[in-house]
Amino acid sequence: MTSHLLGAELLAVAAPLINPDAAVPSATGVAGFAGLLLLLPVLGGVVLLVGGRRLDRVGHIIGCATVIVAFVLGLLIFLATAAANSADRVHSLHLWSWFSSGGLNVDLALRLDPLSLTFVLLITGVGSLIHIYSIGYMSHDPDRRKFFAYLNLFVAAMLLLVLANSFISLYFGWEGVGLMSYLLIGFWSDRPAAATAAKKAFLMNRVGDVGLLLATFLMYKELGTTSYAGVFAGIGQVPPGTVTVIALLLLLGACGKSGQVPLQAWLPDAMEGPTPVSALIHAATMVTAGVYLIARSSPIYDLTPDARLVVAIIGTLTLLVGSIAGCAKDDIKKVLAYSTVSQIGYMFLAVGLGPGVYALGIVHLLTHGFFKAGLFLGAGSVMHGMNDDVDMRHFGGLARKMPITFWTIMAGYLAIIGFPYFSGYFSKDPIIEAAFSAGGARGVILGGAAVLGAGLTAFYMTRLMIMTFFGEARWKNLKSADGRDYHPHESPLVMTVPMIILAVGSVAAGALLVYGNRLVNWLSPSVGAYEEPHLPVAKIVITLGTLLAVALGVVVAYLLVGRKPVPVTRPEPVSPLVRFARADAGGNAINEALVARPGVWLGGALVFVDARGVDGAVNGLAAGLGGLSGRWRRWQNGFVRSYALSMLSGTFLVIAALLVVRFA
Amino acid sequence: MNGFPYLLILVFLPLVGAGVVAAMGKSPARVVKMTALGFSLVELVVAAALWVAYRHSETGAGGGTSLPNTTPSFTQTFSVSWIPTFGIHFSLGVDGISLVMIALIAFLVPIVLGASWEERLPQGRTIGGYFALILVMQAAMTGVFAATDVFVFYVMFEVMLIPMYFLIGAFGGVRGTYAATKFFLYSLIGGLLMLASIIALFVASGRVPSRVAAGLGGTLDWATLRSIAHEIPVSTQLWIWAGFAIAFAIKAPLVPLHTWLPDAGSEAPVGAGTLLVGVLDKVGTFGFLRICLPLLPAASTKLAWLIITLAVIGIIYGAIVAAGQSDLKRFVTYTSIAHFGFIALGIFAFTTTAISGAVLYMVNHGIATALLFLVVGMLTARGGSRNIRDYGGVWKVAPLLGGFFLIGALATIAMPGTNSFISEFMVLIGTFSRHPAWASVATVGIVLAAVYMLWIFQRTMTGPVAGAAVVDPEVDAADPFLPADGDRGGPVLTAPAHAPAAVKLRFGDLSKREIAVLTPLVVMVIFLGLYPKPVLDVINPTAARTVAQSCHLNPVPAAVGAKSGGYSSTSTITEGTCQ
């Protein structure tokens, strides 16, 4: 081997880089056991799946126990971190070296910092409550063990998503939650609607995943690393245009996971899954992962005002689209689903308004986690008592039949519409203020849309309350789809206690988290210091304006829905606006026209081309060239001899050729 | 050529096994099958020992920190003179790339034999013949990967066709003969072109200055050819390259040379089909790595755009056409065509990460596709049909079958946590650093993969129980869904005599044998998904060497390059060594 070649081979293997990861101190003490946060639910899930039917009787206990223990551990780590000096709250924990090749080194490692630990508490805390609730909700399901296995694996994947210390490990968790969401939406897999909704959710998520992957590739190309520490340390050297591209690609991923325009249509369909799934995955945790991703990538978004503006615009559009569609739905879970879409829109708006106010998005994410999970569990409790019916037109007058459910939902209702001193009031109003402080026409448009969204939220939530709990008991004269009479009843304690805890959270969380900027200051090591927005007008003006919009929404809902009997079937025809809202504000139509129909057409065309064109051409060529088809038949008759002959002639040919060459 | 002759045993032990099995003739089927399985298990042990020996020699030679250029290309070499007139030796040896492929074969063959244990064979065929042919296949495939002489490579490449030809034609489905002939014709054309290129390579090697000066003639020894690779003129390289590349592109297969695979793969009996798609096709991509890149670097560099284009087209095209299939086995072969696109893309990206990823992809795809193919085989054996429309809601009736299908599906769509994710990710990120646009288009393939896979899963596994999985509750009130008959194993293939004509076949969940066959595959899917290091440690040095041999440097990240005044991200060597 020649010497210059040696040099080349040496260079090919050498692409070592400086390692900013080493700058993050390792976790010690109780945080050193953070790996158990992941291991416990994974073990729970695997044991439940592999154990099979013999674990049917104890499955739910294993499922709950692992998540509760993880919550306790998460709490201990949180307390230890909170007790530490604020400069010493970011740690890493190396698990193992995942894969490496060339310049690419990927470790499975955890990043324990205020942002991730906040999420750990949300995931395991709300997760524990929903696990417990599911014991009752799924008590009659023959596959309850499998349900808990999936739920456990979901918790593990979600924890990996928030605890990962690199974009690749994040992607592991990101896909993991997507898979579990797929399996849980389609949990009742013999229902075609559930199977279709599950597939739709997964596919629309994957569209977003392409963005996340490409962003990761681009970071690696520019910086040679994909760890948070490495990327955030080097992102300043990347050309601004490239930074914007990275930020927009991340946004695409975030939109897919969080059901933001234009990838929002899967989330309402995801309500085909069991209601605890809707509460945990499609309200409190997974769908907020997009907000997490942007907040986590704040050092990238800090550098690109253009991408931030796009985030804010997407958020604003989504909060309007979601709340408009939510106004026209009769399915109680779909109203709540569109409400989730719209509330996450607020969070996107907040993180898009950064730097300085990323934390506001996280605050709203947490309060929303409480009140929306509570609302969904409440809706599940209503369904539980109403033969699994979800059509609010069949409800009415249920407040007295299920008082605990009613009052817990009432707490969630007051929280989400932003009634003063409930949690939504503390978390949504600062976002609206921040939107106005964006300045100029931009501030007026973003802020105005946010206020309008608040009014619409008040409308659809009031409509939900009236149709479900007040007015005439319409179910008395109806039978459910399976032909049974309705006998509404309150749910058992195992379901109502988690609901009560979440209701308390809906009432108190805002005050606890927001007073004295407690949470935003706690998050500053992760997402940068909080800056009070500079308002164009007095704060009280915006607060009062927002309250006015909310009051208007409530009153209009009362006037339209509460003062006359609710028809049991959907009124037709309706105004174009209502038709638009009923048609998911155009979401599905756009997907159909732009993706689904061309895709099906292209698929059919290519299959035809492949069979008739490519293969046909080959077969035709074979037939054409010297009547090969005749020989084809002969080969079929005596293939042994023919093959041996052709092999032999091939060998002869090579030897003959070599001889010629040798002696030529 | 010192030490224990692992490779010689690995190549010839299966041949001996095949001979023994074929000679057993009238012995009870069970004994014949156990004998074949025994041979394949011994082979697996030898392969494992080779792995250990390889790792030992690798770390031993350079004191644990050996750089790839300080060690010879191959270890565990064996060589005897074969055709002295042309300096042809029967030489074998392994590097990191061939080692993992040989290990893959040794791992898969016992599983395939186990899966074929109760194969329903066409009239007049014996299980002994079937198993013997599979062992012959194993010998030939191992030989291709172990060959270190281009002529030996060619011979093994051609010999490999014979058992597969019979497996498809004689043991296959109703259109088996058509499929086998098509397979044979494609391979024949590829083989002839390769033969022409080999002759040309021999001639060209005899005319390079260094060998002329030394009074040496042509050669087909890989290491010698490697050392003179830069001396062969580019114009000559291009022609030689074309012959090899077409042969490999047929075998791999790349669009538009792919249409033999769906026929061959779907008509072959399941076990043979698994080896065909799982291993035999990788000879094509392996050929790119073994012959094209190191021996014809200038041509490979010049024509990389062609392969990359075909690869990306294949990724998209294969996925879309897969989604449109109505035949379960054809579906699996089309998914493989998409995957071969990823492998070829990674190889011709010329970065360590992408090539390592491509090699790992070859291993991972072998495992994942084996899982998927075998599960599909178990499904179609139960339903008696390959048509997707004949199934529905199988998951409800056969939860284990559905669960294994799901894991195979997830591995196919490169879900993180499964082995395929690592390799697909490495290919894409490694390609992106040199060809961002191509890699971006290829990344769209992950959406399409989800489309075809989830759609199939929905149609066969979910929804109301329908098609072949339907059981008439009136007839079999006592045992509704036929509990898995573990000891006897295998599905019940005929409707009970008393059943009315309307009742379709009954559907059992996986038997203990089937679970035992699939479990090692699932374990590997997950183990290599979480901890691929043992395999990557073997592949990486050879991949880095191959990048250098193809005359490329790994792209340096822009930010780092700016600091160190280094190379731009697309720089290639332009010194005299590499035209």
Side-chain angles (χ1 to χ4, degrees), chain B residues 489-543:
Chain B
V492 175
L493 283 158
T494 47
H498 59 278
V503 175
K504 289 255 196 144
L505 301 172
R506 303 192 302 170
F507 224 82
D509 208 342
L510 297 181
S511 70
K512 280 181 183 159
R513 173 184 62 81
E514 289 169 320
I515 294 171
V517 164
L518 297 178
T519 302
L521 292 167
V522 170
V523 169
M524 285 306 262
V525 162
I526 293 173
F527 175 74
L528 292 180
L530 295 177
Y531 194 65
K533 195 166 178 299
V535 180
L536 277 175
D537 282 348
V538 170
I539 296 172
N540 275 332
T542 311

Side-chain angles (χ1 to χ4, degrees), chain A residues 226-243:
Chain A
T226 62
S227 75
Y228 297 149
V231 170
F232 300 156
I235 192 75
Q237 303 163 29
V238 177
T242 311
V243 176

